[in-house]
Amino acid sequence: MKNDLIKLIKNEDKKNPFTDQQLADILSISRSKLTGMRLELNIASSSDRRKGLLHKEVSKIKKANPELNDRAITEILIKKGYKISRSLVRSILSSIENQTKNVKIESNKIKIEDKNNIISKEIEKNTHNTYIGKNKSKIKRIDNREIEQDAFADLIGFDGSLKEKIAMLKSAMMYPPNGLHTILHGQTGVGKSDMAECMYKFSTYNGFKKKSSPFVIFNCADYAENPNLLIGHLFGVKKGAYTGADVSKEGIVEKADGGILFLDEIHRLPSSGQEILFSLIDRGVYRRLGESNFERRAKVLIICATTGDPNSDLLATFKRRIPVTVEIPKLDDRPKEERFNLILRFFKLESRRVNKNFIITKSAIEKLMDYDCKGNIGQLKSDIQVTCARAFSKLELGEDTVYVDDYSLRRNIREFDNNSGYNWIEDVFIDISDAKNSFGSFYNKSISEIYQYAEKELKILGKGNYSDEELRNIFIRKIDQKFDDIISNRDILGNMNLETYFNGNVPSEVMDIIDKVDDVLKNQYKHINQSLYPALAIHIDHTLRRIREGKKILNPSLAKISKKMPNEFEIARYISGITENISGLTLPDDELGYLAYYVNKFCMVEEKVSGNVKVLIASHGKVGIEMSKVVNFLMGMECTYGVEMPLEYSAKEGLEICLSNIANIEANNGMIILVDMGSLVIIGNEIEKRYGIKTNTVSRADTLLAMEIGKMAAIEQKSFDEIVSYLDSIKDCEVNKTEGQISNEINVSDKSKEKAIISLCLSGHGNAVNIKQILERKIYDKAIDIKVIALGLFDEIDIEKRICKLEEDYQILCIVGTIEAKYNNIPFIKYSSIMKEEGVNEIYSLYRKSIGSIEHEDIKSSGNLSDMIDKDFIFEKFEGISKEYVIDTMVSKLEEAGYVDSKFILSLYKRESMGTLVFNNRIAIPHGLPENVIKPVIAIAKLSKPIFWDNEYMVDLVALIAAKEENQEEMRTLFTILGDEDEINTVLHSDTKDEIYQVFSKTK
């Protein structure tokens, strides 16, 4: 089949390559199977296969006649035999224009190899089943390719918290003809000056301004109180303008002509000072001090910086003239990874300054991560300089390594009580030789640095008073964790590119070694994470270079590794032998330990895989199946399963098809189910009933979440409970627990009792009191009235009896502690989540729910239907795509407004699966269970056009009911109206909410 596919593509019309659907029809297989086969063979899509040829053709036409527009070029291409749309031609022209612009800017030609030719050559070469043979197109060298220089790339956070800000600033710089004036605002020390300088570099690097364009900085605070002095410095002085003005002087506006003027602390300018700039901003003209009849011209782009609020600290007439305003976030609002990288960058700067290696302890870094740094990045840098100076002063004569620990920190930082617990932070070793070469990000280190990591750890361990045995135990634990970090880090493995790493030229000996290793591993393992091959290629290249440079490879835990993983150690010997035969070098025995770890972490036997938690992606249509294939391909192994609920079947029939398709999946340790929407939310309950598998259903299905959960289940081999706990921590992830699990509901029967939380600690009452104090501070911030009761697990003779006794006097909302306690379905919240605010939000949610429950019990039925009709839930022109879309949208509105709880939609779909209710073949009446209703309501949707409802009815009106048992009288009235043809015709011909409301607001 694969050979047939290769032959078809080899002989296809290069102007109009076969689409996947066409190829699937020719080979009589499904499109999804064809796409999977094409990806496996590394064959590009039809659009990519002709991209090079098409670009070449369009460039040729455009070069011959530059005046032709996209319509004319489309017509020419169609005459030449291309099947092409005008929009695609427009896209190609835009791409060519950008390439031409980049060539002009850099004054170099960019050689772009014809992708179609690459693929044709690779199909011809793809005759053997080795990894390199199948992946040569990924690592093929493309000569003289230019990498665009991004002036903002050196800013930590440029692709994170600053990404959107930078995109806006780039747009401001690019806007013709001269860019847009900009205000940067934010607290002191957030990096406004650095950002302004990057804006200048971006505009000169990319040709929006000349490379010789000036960048002039002016601090407004220096002249804020003297308008004449301000005018003189800004615009210059005419000779004789005032006593002592013996010569004419140019101002900074004149110096900035053709470039950028950076006005720092613009808020310090008085109103008159801001008004002085109006004519320059509006018309590009100004006068020197003392000039009255002569106007000068300057083409200046203004960037302002302020620590104040632009809306209150600047004149409205001034701010109106500055079209772009960007706020730079403070340090506390930026991700912790960015703060970590900033800390290490500043330490690296100091390492270069004093020309010494640095060791920074984990504890010291954690203190710097959490202390209250009011001056933001500027203060952080200053504090680290002081820290390094203190550590340097303790350096013994002749030592080459500065040791930074807690005692090197300033007192306010050292004594800061940090409880975050950064598991991903380690002691850091900065090698001065490396520090002199680059300032790259330290987070998510390259895989090639396993030796550097080992050396760093050995140097740090050498500082401690460990015995040889202790050192070996600690070292193997750290190496094990390092490999776990590598394989579980999607950012490293997903972005790994051999072509980039080897600068487009992978050494032939490394390619040959990987080919041979591939054969060995495939004979031993059924499941191999495909990321192993690029990771191992980089590692082997690093090993060979290290041996050739005479550097040592050290692994003090070699004996322990051989004992811990004997099978992998034997395979490592084979890999070592292959490497020696091809390279002609001798690998030291210590290297076997590292090779064994690569095999252990990336390769799995069947028994190891079968015990994993299974991940199911269920969707309406084939999206789930295709998403599963993409995830499995990217992760290098089968870590997810996809099923579809066919759109042409009813919910009940579709569910049966899904269940039959997963009957053969072994999921003894549980199944996580990601669903896209609608009726699929009940699939977990049905799987549990039919197959006895514990499940957890998540109302969200996207590739990123599927990759993360698939990685946790198949690669990290997390337990069912660990994965569920992770899902619970995701804010935009609605988890529907099955009935077999502990619910997160609170007991609201004791509405008159005082609300309380129990703080529980394993080690005793003292630590429980500490937790209690932290909780009380957090609760105080939320302004909620909850009593916190401290209990120590070992201090209480019978903890359950103690809690039972407390329940007589208090309504217990939850238990917070360091060790999970399950008692009478009281929700448990981990202490660690309290420190991250997630747990505090959960407590707040439980508190709000308890208040809501008290309010709801007082709701009495009036018997009037009008009391259940709210105009906010009347949708007079509802654009319904499908049954699921209508239900999901309407229930979402009710849930947001507090009329139903999060489980209402699950109960509704359960009822729909048992049988849908459609009145008079045109009015759908979906409804959920009364216990999930907080406040009774009926939502009405008049559809803009009829839709299929379970492929049996054409529905044009939906009445979604959320009712309590006592609402029987209102239901009788509702069904009387729904059964009245005249009333329904009135509703269907209504144009406003009021008209529909009049029909349904009937009294009993």
Side-chain angles (χ1 to χ4, degrees), residues 12 17-18 20 38 43-51 119:
E12 70 185 350
F18 290 122
D20 281 5
R38 177 173 62 74
I43 298 172
S45 64
S46 57
S47 59
D48 278 342
R49 292 203 296 278
R50 75 167 178 176
K51 188 175 181 181
I119 293 161

Side-chain angles (χ1 to χ4, degrees), residues 66-187:
E67 303 303 318
L68 290 178
N69 60 19
D70 52 27
R71 183 191 298 276
I73 294 173
T74 305
E75 291 173 357
I76 292 171
L77 289 170
I78 292 172
K79 287 178 183 178
K80 284 177 174 281
Y82 288 93
K83 295 177 182 176
I84 191 168
S85 67
R86 184 180 168 191
S87 60
L88 179 56
V89 171
R90 192 181 301 121
S91 173
I92 293 169
L93 285 170
S94 176
S95 175
I96 291 171
E97 186 180 338
N98 289 334
Q99 289 173 11
T100 305
K101 187 173 187 179
N102 288 335
V103 170
K104 287 179 180 177
I105 292 165
E106 299 298 334
S107 300
N108 283 316
K109 288 185 178 180
I110 301 174
K111 181 178 177 183
I112 301 176
E113 191 162 338
D114 186 342
K115 264 191 178 179
N116 189 52
N117 292 336
I118 292 176
I119 293 161
S120 297
K121 291 173 187 175
E122 293 314 311
I123 291 171
E124 291 171 10
K125 291 178 183 178
N126 190 16
T127 56
H128 63 293
N129 193 31
T130 62
Y131 172 80
I132 294 295
K134 290 189 294 181
N135 292 274
K136 278 183 179 172
S137 62
K138 293 182 181 178
I139 58 178
K140 188 170 181 68
R141 181 170 183 165
I142 299 177
D143 296 325
N144 302 325
R145 175 166 290 182
E146 291 291 329
I147 298 173
E148 182 184 348
Q149 187 173 10
D150 189 339
F152 293 92
D154 197 46
L155 290 175
I156 287 172
F158 81 98
D159 57 350
S161 64
L162 303 178
K163 187 175 182 178
E164 290 183 9
K165 317 285 185 186
I166 288 171
M168 189 181 297
L169 295 175
K170 284 182 177 180
S171 299
M173 292 296 99
M174 294 163 62
Y175 198 84
N178 190 42
L180 297 174
H181 303 304
T182 302
I183 294 175
L184 302 174
H185 69 102
Q187 293 182 359

Side-chain angles (χ1 to χ4, degrees), residues 721-989:
D721 290 339
E722 286 175 316
I723 298 174
V724 170
S725 177
Y726 168 77
L727 289 167
D728 284 338
S729 70
I730 303 176
K731 291 182 180 179
D732 59 342
C733 196
E734 185 179 333
V735 180
N736 301 299
K737 294 182 173 65
T738 57
E739 293 164 1
Q741 296 171 259
I742 296 173
S743 73
N744 227 30
E745 294 298 315
I746 57 173
N747 184 357
V748 296
S749 57
D750 304 322
K751 61 182 181 179
S752 61
K753 296 177 183 176
E754 184 181 357
K755 293 166 182 54
I757 295 171
I758 294 174
S759 69
L760 185 66
C761 186
L762 175 68
S763 55
H765 186 265
N767 282 338
V769 170
N770 292 336
I771 296 174
K772 173 181 183 291
Q773 292 171 347
I774 292 170
L775 275 169
E776 286 174 338
R777 286 200 302 270
K778 300 281 186 181
I779 291 169
Y780 178 81
D781 292 341
K782 286 284 186 182
I784 52 180
D785 185 21
I786 303 176
K787 183 180 180 66
V788 183
I789 302 168
L791 296 181
L793 196 60
F794 287 162
D795 294 340
E796 302 291 338
I797 298 174
D798 190 330
I799 195 71
E800 291 192 3
K801 283 186 179 179
R802 180 78 170 104
I803 295 174
C804 182
K805 182 70 175 172
L806 288 170
E807 284 190 305
E808 293 177 7
D809 301 315
Y810 299 98
Q811 183 185 1
I812 308 296
L813 300 184
C814 63
I815 298 173
V816 176
T818 55
I819 183 168
E820 186 164 358
K822 297 178 180 178
Y823 175 76
N824 197 23
N825 280 356
I826 297 175
F828 177 81
I829 299 173
K830 289 182 180 178
Y831 170 68
S832 57
S833 69
I834 296 293
M835 304 311 298
K836 297 175 185 175
E837 294 299 322
E838 296 163 4
V840 180
N841 292 334
E842 192 173 346
I843 290 174
Y844 185 68
S845 175
L846 291 169
Y847 175 76
R848 295 299 304 163
K849 192 177 291 186
S850 71
I851 294 175
S853 299
I854 293 168
E855 294 169 352
H856 305 151
E857 289 186 3
D858 294 331
I859 296 173
K860 302 293 183 183
S861 169
S862 65
N864 293 327
L865 181 61
S866 58
D867 291 340
M868 289 182 67
I869 306 295
D870 188 321
K871 288 183 184 179
D872 287 341
F873 306 115
I874 294 177
F875 310 98
E876 69 274 25
K877 293 177 183 178
F878 195 97
E879 294 288 341
I881 301 170
S882 65
K883 169 186 173 179
E884 281 77 13
Y885 177 81
V886 172
I887 291 175
D888 288 355
T889 304
M890 295 177 76
V891 172
S892 175
K893 297 287 186 185
L894 296 181
E895 190 177 336
E896 286 173 9
Y899 282 81
V900 299
D901 65 21
S902 60
K903 293 188 176 181
F904 179 80
I905 192 166
L906 183 62
S907 69
L908 186 153
Y909 276 119
K910 278 184 179 179
R911 286 192 164 185
E912 286 293 306
S913 69
M914 292 184 284
T916 192
L917 176 59
V918 176
F919 207 64
N920 290 337
N921 293 321
R922 67 187 305 187
I923 307 168
I925 311 176
H927 52 292
L929 293 175
E931 55 260 39
N932 301 122
V933 176
I934 297 171
K935 181 180 178 182
V937 68
I938 298 169
I940 308 292
K942 190 193 82 168
L943 305 182
S944 58
K945 58 183 177 181
I947 63 170
F948 276 109
W949 201 268
D950 281 347
N951 293 303
E952 191 174 347
Y953 307 100
M954 287 297 292
V955 165
D956 48 16
L957 186 65
V958 179
L960 193 151
I961 299 173
K964 294 280 194 181
E965 289 89 343
E966 58 266 27
N967 295 123
Q968 295 177 16
E969 190 63 39
E970 291 93 328
M971 292 302 100
R972 290 193 189 96
T973 306
L974 174 67
F975 280 92
T976 299
I977 294 169
L978 295 178
D980 189 322
E981 192 170 337
D982 291 336
E983 296 278 33
I984 295 305
N985 283 333
T986 301
V987 171
L988 294 175
H989 289 90

